[in-house]
Amino acid sequence: MIDFELTAEEQAMIDSAHKESLEVIRPLARYYDEHEHESPKDLIARNWQQQAEGGGSGILGLGVGASLRILENCWGDAGLMLVAPGSGLGGAAILTSGTQEQQAKFLKRFGEGEPKWGAMAMTEPGAGSDTAAIQTMAVLDNETNEWVLNGEKIFITGGQRAMDESDGLVVVWATVDKTAGRAGMKPFVVEAGTPGAHIDKVENKLGIRASDTATLILDNCRIPYENILGSPEVRKVDPSQTAGFRRAMATFDATRPIIAAMALGVGRAALDFVKDVFEKEGIPIRYGLPRHELTAMERDIMDMEASYKAALMLMLRAVWMMSQFQPNSLEASMAKAKAGIVVSRITQKAVEMMGPLGYSRKNLLEKWMRDGKINDIFEGTGQINMLIVARRILDYTREQLK
Amino acid sequence: MISFSPSEDQQMIVNMVKEFVNDHARKVYRECDESGDIPANVIDTAWQLGFIASSIPEEFEGFGGERSALTGTLIAEELAWGDLSIAMHILCPALVATPVVEMGTEEQKRQYLPSFCGDQFKVATAALIEPSYNFNPASLQTTAKPDNGGYVINGEKCYVPLAADADLLLVYANESGNTQGFIVEKGTPGLEITEREKNMGIKALATYELSLKNCKVPKENRLGGDAGCDFGRIMNLSRVALCGMAVGVARAAFEYARDYAKERHAFGEPIASRQAIAFMLAEMAIDVDATRLMTWEAAWKLDRNEDATKEASLAKMYADDMVMSVTNNAVQVLGGHGYIRDHPVELWFRNGRGFATFDGMAIV
C-alpha cells in the first residue's frame, strides 16, 4: 500500500534532530567553518553520550526515519554532522563484509570508553572514481601470518580522528594481486596505533570544513591475518561478479541514499532561508496559479521546491527499498545523482536570489553552497552515479558502457 | 509508515490496463493521430473495463469501488503510455462523473450518475479553458449570473474534448469572483459548439471551441447546489491525473529511445555505448521516476481529503518540464529518424508539449 505517512516514532526522531540542529548545531556552524582544523569537543562528547544512550547507530540498515534524521542533522550543519563519532563508513564495510567475530572484535569499541571514529580509505592520488586502479598492496608474510600494507590513501573522511585522535580504525582497500583488477581488491582493518600507518596530511577544503579529510600513508604496515574482511581468495572470473568488489558496491548501495539525505538537508536549509526572508518581507509564495501569474522569484522558488521534492522522493524510495531488503543499486544511484545536482542548483540559486545577504559570510547561505557541493562528489561523483544508472537501465556491463 | 509498494488490487488494475493498451491503443495510435479518429471498438472495449463506473457508488448503479486519486494516477499513467489521445477520450466522462460523485447534491447524483453506468460509452465533458494566453482557472472570463432563480452563462471556451457529442457539459464560470461548475445539457439554447480544433498534438482527441450566449440553466444545475463545488480540489484532482499521464507519455518515449539506442549502431557499436547518449537516457529515467513519486504523494494527500494544492501544483510544474525534456531527448536520441513520422517519438514530443496547456482536461 503506497503511503507517505511517517510513524509517530519517526516524526519524534525528526523533531528532536531539528530542535538540536536549531539550538545546538547552527550556533557552532560558522565558527568551525572559519577554524578549519579545530575540533568541537563538547559537541563530540554530546554525540557520543547520545549514541551510548541510544544503543549506537551504524550506517547500514538505516530506515526511513534515520535517513530523515540525518537530513535534519545536515540542515543544521553538514560538516558538524560528519564529525559525529561512531563507526561510520568503516563500520559499514565491516558490517557488510566481516564475519560475526570480526564485527564483535572491531565494532565493540564504538560502544564504550572515549569517542572513537571509523573511516574508509578507498581513493588514491592516482585512483578516484576508477577504484579498480588502486595501487595500495597487501602482501601476506607467511612466516608471521601478517598482511604487509604499502601505499598512499587520500580523501579519507574522518581519517585523522579515526587514527590520530581516537582508538578508532580505518578500513583500507588494497589489492592482493594487481593483475586481478577488481577481483584482487580486498578490505583490511587498520587500527589506530598500528606501526607503519600514519596520517600525513589533512586537507584544506571548499566546505564541510569541520570534518577532517586526511591522507593515510601505509609504510610496511603490518596487520594480523584476521584483519582481512571476507575471503582472501582471488577468483579471476567475471570481475564485476567477484565477492570483494560486490561487497564494496553493496556498501555504496547503503551509503548513497544517505549522502542523498545529507545533500537534501543542506538544500532545504538554503530553501528555508530564502522562504524565511520572503516571509519576513511579507511576500507570499502563491501555489496553484498559472505560470504567467507568478513572479520570477516565485517561479524560482517553486522550481527549487519541486526539484527538492523530486530528489527527496527518490531518496526515500532508495532507503525504503533497503529497509525492505530489496536490491536498490539503481535507485540508490538515481537518488544520489539527483540529490547532488539538486543541492548544487538550489544553494547556488539561493545565493544568487538573496544578493548581498547570500554572498556575505554574516549568513550561512554562502557556506551551504560550499558545503552542499561535496554531495555531488563523494561516495561516487554525480557522473559515476549517472554511469551506474545508465548501465542498469540499458542492462550493459562496464565493457559495453565505459 | 512510508511505502512505495502498490496494493495487490492496484497492481491488478495496472496489469489490466497494460493489457488493454498493448492489445488496443498501441495497435492503432499512429493511425488515429493521422486520421483524427479513434475506432469505436477501442473506446467500447475500454468502457467495458469500467474505469468510470468502478468508482460510482452502488446506489447509483456503479460498481461501488473505493474512489482513489492514487489508483487513478496509476491508471492514467498506463493509459497515456498507450496513447494520450485515447487516454483522454476514455477518461473524458470522468470530467463530469468525478465532480458529481465528490461534490454533487443527492439530486444531481441520482439524476446523472446512473447514466455513467450503462453499457454504452457516456459522452460527457467539461469546459474550463478559455482562448487566451493569460487564461487563469481561478479568474475566468466566462461569467455565471443569477437570473430568474437560475443562472445565465456567457463566455467562450476551448479545448473541450468530445463537446460535439456530449450529452452533458460541466461548464466552469466566474460567479462573483469564484469559479463554480454548471451542468449544461446538450441542446440548451445559447450553447453553441463551433468547429473542431486543430492542435499540434493529441490529434486523435476531438476537441472543440464553444460559446455560451445568454445560456440559461436552472439553479439545480449548479454543481454542489447551494454549497457549490470545491474548485481547488477539482483542479488538484486534474493536476495529478495530468501528472500521471505526463509520466506515461514520458515513459513511452524513454523506453523507445532506450531500445533504439541499443539497436542503432554507429562507429562500430550501439550508440547507447556512448556516454553522450547513455547519460541522456539515465537523466530521462531519473526524472520519469521522480515525477511519478511526486504524483503519488500529491494523490495520496488528496485521498486523505487534505489540501494538496502545493504538492499537486509543484508536481504538475515539474511534470510539465519533465515530459517536454524527456520527449525532446527521445527525438534527439533517434536523430533524423526521430523527426520522421515512421517513429512515434515525434508524436509523443507534440503531445508532451500540451501538458502545460491541458488544465482541467483530465481528472481522476
Side-chain angles (χ1 to χ4, degrees):
Chain A
M1 182 81 153
I2 296 164
D3 192 0
F4 294 92
E5 187 165 31
L6 297 169
T7 63
E9 195 187 342
E10 287 166 343
Q11 193 58 55
M13 214 153 134
I14 293 164
D15 292 345
S16 107
H18 186 77
K19 186 166 183 282
E20 183 173 21
S21 279
L22 204 58
E23 292 169 3
V24 181
I25 311 290
R26 283 271 176 100
L28 301 174
R30 177 57 73 186
Y31 181 88
Y32 289 100
D33 182 59
E34 310 237 323
H35 299 76
E36 186 158 16
H37 301 296
E38 287 186 27
S39 252
K41 296 207 167 55
D42 291 348
L43 181 66
I44 288 167
R46 181 188 163 96
N47 285 333
W48 189 248
Q49 180 66 28
Q50 281 170 342
Q51 282 182 34
E53 285 160 9
S57 69
I59 285 209
L60 283 184
L62 282 188
V64 163
S67 70
L68 291 171
R69 189 196 65 219
I70 288 170
L71 190 155
E72 291 303 329
N73 293 149
C74 289
W75 181 89
D77 192 85
L80 290 170
M81 182 270 169
L82 286 166
V83 172
S87 62
L89 292 178
I94 292 168
L95 276 172
T96 37
S97 310
T99 61
Q100 294 278 329
E101 294 75 34
Q102 287 173 322
Q103 292 179 19
K105 181 181 174 199
F106 295 124
L107 298 179
K108 186 163 174 276
R109 73 195 66 194
F110 296 105
E112 60 189 27
E114 293 298 303
K116 296 175 196 71
W117 288 264
M120 177 132 103
M122 177 77 88
T123 306
E124 297 182 1
S129 297
D130 182 9
T131 49
I134 63 175
Q135 297 295 311
T136 297
M137 283 291 296
V139 177
L140 186 62
D141 181 341
N142 284 312
E143 280 182 25
T144 60
N145 205 27
E146 289 171 324
W147 295 100
V148 184
L149 271 53
N150 276 291
E152 179 182 355
K153 290 288 180 183
I154 64 169
F155 297 170
I156 306 168
T157 298
Q160 186 184 38
R161 289 190 172 92
M163 294 300 276
D164 281 357
E165 296 180 5
S166 73
D167 292 326
L169 54 82
V170 175
V171 171
V172 173
W173 287 82
T175 177
V176 292
D177 180 355
K178 276 189 189 171
T179 65
R182 282 157 187 266
M185 271 176 61
K186 305 287 171 188
F188 298 87
V189 178
V190 178
E191 295 175 277
T194 307
H198 74 274
I199 296 294
D200 181 53
K201 181 184 171 195
V202 180
E203 307 286 350
N204 299 322
K205 301 192 297 297
L206 172 68
I208 54 162
R209 290 181 180 160
S211 166
D212 72 87
T213 302
T215 296
L216 176 68
I217 303 290
L218 299 155
D219 181 10
N220 285 319
C221 173
R222 288 175 169 270
I223 56 171
Y225 178 81
E226 300 76 36
N227 284 25
I228 186 170
L229 299 173
S231 159
E233 191 188 333
V234 176
R235 271 165 295 167
K236 291 181 195 175
V237 281
D238 177 1
S240 66
Q241 291 305 308
T242 57
F245 185 69
R246 244 196 351 253
R247 288 204 185 92
M249 292 305 113
T251 314
F252 284 133
D253 292 344
T255 55
R256 283 181 175 147
I258 300 304
I259 306 298
M262 292 171 55
L264 287 162
V266 179
R268 213 194 74 218
L271 202 42
D272 286 352
F273 183 98
V274 175
K275 289 170 78 177
D276 284 350
V277 167
F278 273 42
E279 202 180 310
K280 282 195 190 101
E281 299 285 335
I283 303 165
I285 312 296
R286 301 165 301 162
Y287 298 98
L289 290 186
R291 283 205 184 198
H292 59 77
E293 295 276 324
L294 299 172
T295 65
M297 284 287 194
E298 283 175 316
R299 286 172 80 146
D300 281 344
I301 287 183
M302 288 177 193
D303 279 340
M304 289 154 82
E305 286 191 296
S307 60
Y308 172 84
K309 183 56 81 67
L312 177 68
M313 287 292 139
L314 291 170
M315 182 281 280
L316 286 173
R317 179 178 66 168
V319 172
W320 172 78
M321 288 177 78
M322 186 162 71
S323 72
Q324 302 290 303
F325 305 103
Q326 294 179 21
N328 73 339
S329 286
L330 170 64
E331 292 79 7
S333 282
M334 279 184 162
K336 165 77 168 72
K338 184 71 181 177
I341 295 168
V342 163
V343 66
S344 300
R345 265 221 320 254
I346 288 180
T347 53
Q348 289 162 25
K349 190 75 194 174
V351 170
E352 178 213 305
M353 286 169 81
M354 292 292 96
L357 303 183
Y359 206 69
S360 166
R361 282 184 7 225
K362 272 194 239 168
N363 296 315
L364 290 169
L365 193 51
E366 64 82 29
K367 175 182 183 298
W368 295 329
M369 180 180 134
R370 292 183 285 109
D371 287 347
K373 185 62 196 162
I374 192 59
N375 298 291
D376 206 14
I377 298 171
F378 68 2
E379 293 291 290
T381 60
Q383 289 63 39
I384 283 296
N385 280 289
M386 282 304 235
L387 194 57
I388 293 168
V389 171
R391 281 185 194 138
R392 293 262 165 185
I393 58 170
L394 290 162
D395 196 19
Y396 271 2
T397 62
R398 10 185 318 107
E399 291 311 310
Q400 288 169 296
L401 177 59
K402 289 182 179 156
Chain B
M1 179 94 83
I2 298 242
S3 169
F4 291 89
S5 180
S7 69
E8 268 178 45
D9 278 357
Q10 287 169 332
Q11 200 51 59
M12 221 172 63
I13 294 168
V14 164
N15 291 341
M16 179 188 83
V17 184
K18 276 183 198 287
E19 198 183 315
F20 164 74
V21 294
N22 276 309
D23 291 352
H24 299 277
R26 277 295 178 109
K27 296 258 175 13
V28 297
Y29 70 107
R30 168 56 78 184
E31 211 180 298
C32 296
D33 187 73
E34 299 284 339
S35 69
D37 283 322
I38 301 169
N41 73 309
V42 173
I43 301 303
D44 291 343
T45 306
W47 184 255
Q48 301 309 321
L49 298 176
F51 294 123
I52 309 297
S54 65
S55 53
I56 292 177
E58 279 174 16
E59 57 175 313
F60 305 113
E61 299 172 30
F63 306 164
E66 195 188 347
R67 250 196 62 67
S68 160
L70 185 42
T71 308
T73 67
L74 299 174
I75 294 169
E77 175 181 340
E78 296 305 331
L79 284 176
W81 180 89
D83 181 65
L84 184 60
S85 293
I86 294 173
M88 290 177 107
H89 187 125
I90 288 170
L91 296 179
C92 188
L95 290 171
V96 176
T98 294
V100 171
V101 168
E102 285 220 348
M103 300 162 196
T105 60
E106 278 305 299
E107 182 50 39
Q108 287 166 347
K109 289 179 188 175
R110 257 199 309 278
Q111 188 176 350
Y112 300 115
L113 292 181
S115 67
F116 289 92
C117 305
D119 290 339
Q120 295 298 311
F121 184 83
K122 167 76 176 176
V123 191
T125 189
L128 173 67
I129 303 176
E130 296 173 345
S132 160
Y133 83 94
N134 61 357
F135 156 69
N136 180 351
S139 173
L140 295 173
Q141 300 294 311
T142 301
T143 56
K145 292 186 172 141
D147 174 72
N148 283 334
Y151 291 91
V152 58
I153 305 175
N154 278 290
E156 305 283 327
K157 295 287 183 182
C158 61
Y159 290 86
V160 186
L162 315 186
D165 298 322
D167 305 321
L168 296 174
L169 294 98
L170 179 56
V171 175
Y172 292 99
N174 189 331
E175 184 191 338
S176 352
N178 294 312
T179 300
Q180 290 294 335
F182 300 86
I183 298 165
V184 179
E185 294 186 21
K186 186 179 189 168
T188 304
L191 168 66
E192 193 194 338
I193 292 155
T194 48
E195 61 185 310
R196 177 168 168 178
E197 290 165 335
K198 292 173 178 166
N199 297 316
M200 174 169 75
I202 53 164
K203 287 162 70 176
L205 180 71
T207 68
Y208 298 85
E209 291 191 10
L210 58 84
S211 67
L212 300 129
K213 287 182 191 132
N214 292 320
C215 187
K216 292 182 182 178
V217 296
K219 80 172 172 43
E220 293 76 30
N221 286 24
R222 183 179 191 254
L223 177 64
D226 291 340
C229 69
D230 178 353
F231 182 66
R233 183 170 167 88
I234 290 174
M235 282 305 288
N236 289 334
L237 288 167
S238 172
R239 287 183 179 116
V240 296
L242 291 166
C243 284
M245 289 179 175
V247 171
V249 171
R251 199 184 93 216
F254 158 70
E255 289 173 0
Y256 195 90
R258 175 198 62 196
D259 295 347
Y260 180 90
K262 291 180 74 171
E263 293 282 317
R264 173 77 181 178
H265 280 61
F267 310 105
E269 60 181 7
I271 60 170
S273 287
R274 306 276 168 155
Q275 288 189 354
I277 301 296
F279 278 24
M280 275 165 86
L281 294 167
E283 199 184 323
M284 290 154 80
I286 291 171
D287 276 338
V288 168
D289 276 14
T291 312
R292 178 187 302 113
L293 301 179
M294 289 166 80
T295 304
W296 286 2
E297 194 211 12
W300 169 81
K301 246 188 138 178
L302 287 167
D303 280 344
R304 289 157 59 102
N305 272 316
E306 292 173 21
D307 178 27
T309 303
K310 181 176 170 183
E311 288 76 10
S313 59
L314 287 179
K316 178 65 170 36
M317 186 176 223
Y318 199 82
D320 290 346
D321 289 347
M322 180 282 297
V323 66
M324 196 66 253
S325 124
V326 169
T327 53
N328 176 57
N329 278 344
V331 172
Q332 194 67 24
V333 166
L334 270 74
H337 295 277
Y339 206 74
I340 305 292
R341 299 218 300 275
D342 292 347
H343 290 281
V345 286
E346 62 80 29
L347 185 158
W348 294 323
F349 174 69
R350 288 185 282 110
N351 287 350
R353 179 66 288 174
F355 283 94
T357 303
F358 297 154
D359 288 301
M361 280 178 72
I363 198 165
V364 289

